[in-house]
Amino acid sequence: MTDMRNVNNWHWVNKDCRPWAKQYLQQKLVGLQAENNGNKVSIASLDDCTGDVDLNQRKGKLMAIYDVALKLSWQGELKNGTKAFGNIHVPEVAYDTELEDYVFDISFNSPSQDEDELKRLIRSELTPQLRSKFSNFTQDLIHTHSSDLYADKNSAPSTPTLIQRKPISSTPTISKKKDNNETVKTTIVDHSYEFKGITAREVYESLLNSKRADIWSHNKSKVSKKIGSEFQLFDGNVHGVLLQAASAKSIVQTWRFKSWPKEHYSTVTILFVDKPEGVLVNVNQVGVPVGQEEIIRRNWIGYYWTPIKECHDRGQFKDIPYQSDPLFGLIETKNIIWAVVILIILVVSFTAYLVSPHIVL
């Protein structure tokens, strides 16, 4: 018999599916494994699953809306028998996330000389399996719970109509390159990240000290405190020019993603605000192509702030001293020292010439 309070399934009906989601992801993800050249890695456990998972029905149509963050534990073994353990943090598994936009932040429980080899295996062989499992989440959610959302279960369609609500402003797709005579539509993206137990100087150094950047970016980087210098991160996928830098206060730089329209740069302003327990980092990015707002936010958090925090917590920066700031932001200290040495030599030489006896012909 049809529920008279919801005739023809007209009213909005919602079901909280978080308990099911955690169990589902545990069953699908734990045990995934990859092997190559004698090296092995596998997902050992799902440690955290936080966020919202809702299935909604109105007028007979379904909407799956979810956004969860995952923390997975992995274990690995190299062909020489060395074992390693760590975590994979997925900042966002969401109903509107494209497969290529998932972020996987890989960390080790303890420093290892074989990090690069295992990380390559995880990224090349294990993360594609995770993406595949995530791609089935929406349909499995609907298949399991859709019938519960209809007042008369007999009226539930065999193939429910699914509406995926994707906010236009946050569609995580990469803009196609445009011709030179076309204008790139842009927007402004703001986000903040709070570090606890870390000073502003630590974060500042991590961004502009190449030895530190090599560690948290997991790639050879090109960064400098010299105003006007070019920077490159993540194999050149992110690059730009440093415009301003005030130690532990602020950084201003041009910034572009490699696949953005040719010669199009955004302007990033990073402000460091001291807090009793650490530092708050405020980021303002002007000139982001419309449609990439959410992926830009996710990538800053997933590829910048989270790795910096984890590397700091593991003590990977402790043996790397702070770099001195360039004079006026332009002249590096080592160049100043050499200039002073040369100047002293010239002065001494010239003085010696003046006081030495001269032969008059």
Side-chain angles (χ1 to χ4, degrees):
M1 185 177 194
T2 301
D3 188 342
M4 295 304 295
R5 294 167 298 178
N6 194 12
V7 179
N8 296 323
N9 299 301
W10 186 263
H11 299 297
W12 186 286
V13 181
N14 170 270
K15 184 175 183 180
D16 182 357
C17 301
R18 284 176 295 179
W20 172 87
K22 185 171 183 179
Q23 183 179 13
Y24 171 90
L25 290 169
Q26 178 134 1
Q27 291 175 348
K28 297 295 182 179
L29 305 184
V30 175
L32 292 178
Q33 55 187 330
E35 181 176 355
N36 190 24
N37 293 328
N39 301 319
K40 304 176 183 178
V41 290
S42 63
I43 302 297
S45 63
L46 173 62
D47 302 328
D48 288 317
C49 178
T50 57
D52 298 308
V53 181
D54 294 321
L55 189 59
N56 307 281
Q57 182 271 130
R58 185 171 185 261
K59 298 182 181 180
K61 296 181 180 180
L62 296 175
M63 285 182 288
I65 301 176
Y66 55 88
D67 189 344
V68 295
L70 307 179
K71 181 181 178 183
L72 302 160
S73 289
W74 62 267
Q75 58 187 21
E77 182 176 352
L78 293 164
K79 57 187 175 183
N80 62 9
T82 302
K83 296 183 181 295
F85 303 88
N87 300 111
I88 300 175
H89 178 234
V90 188
E92 185 176 58
V93 178
Y95 71 99
D96 59 352
T97 305
E98 302 291 343
L99 283 181
E100 66 271 18
D101 294 333
Y102 283 111
V103 174
F104 300 95
D105 182 44
I106 304 165
S107 62
F108 285 69
N109 291 347
S110 58
S112 170
Q113 294 181 344
D114 304 297
E115 283 190 12
D116 290 341
E117 193 168 358
L118 285 173
K119 279 183 178 176
R120 281 196 297 271
L121 178 57
I122 293 173
R123 290 200 181 278
S124 63
E125 303 290 342
L126 201 55
T127 59
Q129 296 183 51
L130 293 172
R131 294 178 197 272
S132 176
K133 297 299 181 183
F134 295 156
S135 70
N136 297 324
F137 184 85
T138 299
Q139 290 301 326
D140 288 345
L141 171 64
I142 292 170
H143 177 76
T144 305
H145 294 285
S146 62
S147 62
D148 296 341
L149 298 178
Y150 293 90
D152 181 1
K153 289 182 169 39
N154 294 325
S155 69
S158 57
T159 306
T161 301
L162 176 65
I163 300 176
Q164 286 296 73
R165 292 172 54 189
K166 294 189 177 184
I168 295 176
S169 63
S170 61
T171 304
T173 56
I174 301 300
S175 297
K176 294 182 179 179
K177 292 187 177 181
K178 301 180 180 293
D179 295 335
N180 292 335
N181 60 348
E182 291 189 49
T183 301
V184 179
K185 294 182 179 180
T186 64
T187 186
I188 299 173
V189 177
D190 294 306
H191 78 274
S192 299
Y193 189 91
E194 185 169 0
F195 290 89
K196 293 187 177 180
I198 305 179
T199 65
R201 183 64 186 269
E202 283 285 334
V203 182
Y204 177 85
E205 288 287 326
S206 298
L207 293 171
L208 298 182
N209 183 323
S210 60
K211 291 182 179 180
R212 291 175 179 242
D214 287 353
I215 295 174
W216 63 258
S217 69
H218 310 300
N219 280 287
K220 186 67 177 175
S221 64
K222 178 183 177 183
V223 297
S224 169
K225 295 180 181 179
K226 184 178 179 181
I227 304 303
S229 63
E230 296 182 358
F231 70 88
Q232 290 187 5
L233 292 165
F234 313 114
D235 290 330
N237 283 304
V238 171
H239 58 278
V241 175
L242 182 66
L243 302 178
Q244 299 176 31
S247 183
K249 298 295 182 182
S250 65
I251 295 173
V252 181
Q253 56 189 196
T254 62
W255 191 104
R256 67 174 264 108
F257 194 64
K258 191 175 183 179
S259 62
W260 280 6
K262 188 176 181 180
E263 302 302 324
H264 177 76
Y265 286 82
S266 64
T267 300
V268 171
T269 301
I270 304 173
L271 301 177
F272 303 95
V273 181
D274 288 318
K275 294 286 184 179
E277 297 181 354
V279 60
L280 177 67
V281 179
N282 294 320
V283 181
N284 171 263
Q285 189 163 0
V286 179
V288 174
V290 169
Q292 298 185 29
E293 297 91 326
E294 289 306 314
I295 189 173
I296 287 294
R297 288 191 186 94
R298 289 200 301 268
N299 285 350
W300 274 100
I301 293 172
Y303 285 104
Y304 276 79
W305 310 133
T306 301
I308 288 174
K309 180 182 183 302
E310 291 181 346
C311 288
H312 177 273
D313 292 346
R314 291 196 296 266
Q316 291 181 267
F317 299 146
K318 65 181 181 180
D319 295 326
I320 303 176
Y322 292 162
Q323 288 182 340
S324 55
D325 296 317
L327 182 64
F328 307 121
L330 298 172
I331 307 174
E332 297 181 353
T333 302
K334 61 181 181 180
N335 293 331
I336 296 175
I337 294 174
W338 277 112
V340 171
V341 170
I342 294 172
L343 180 61
I344 291 173
I345 293 173
L346 290 174
V347 170
V348 171
S349 299
F350 185 67
T351 303
Y353 170 78
L354 292 176
V355 301
S356 64
H358 300 286
I359 299 175
V360 179
L361 299 178

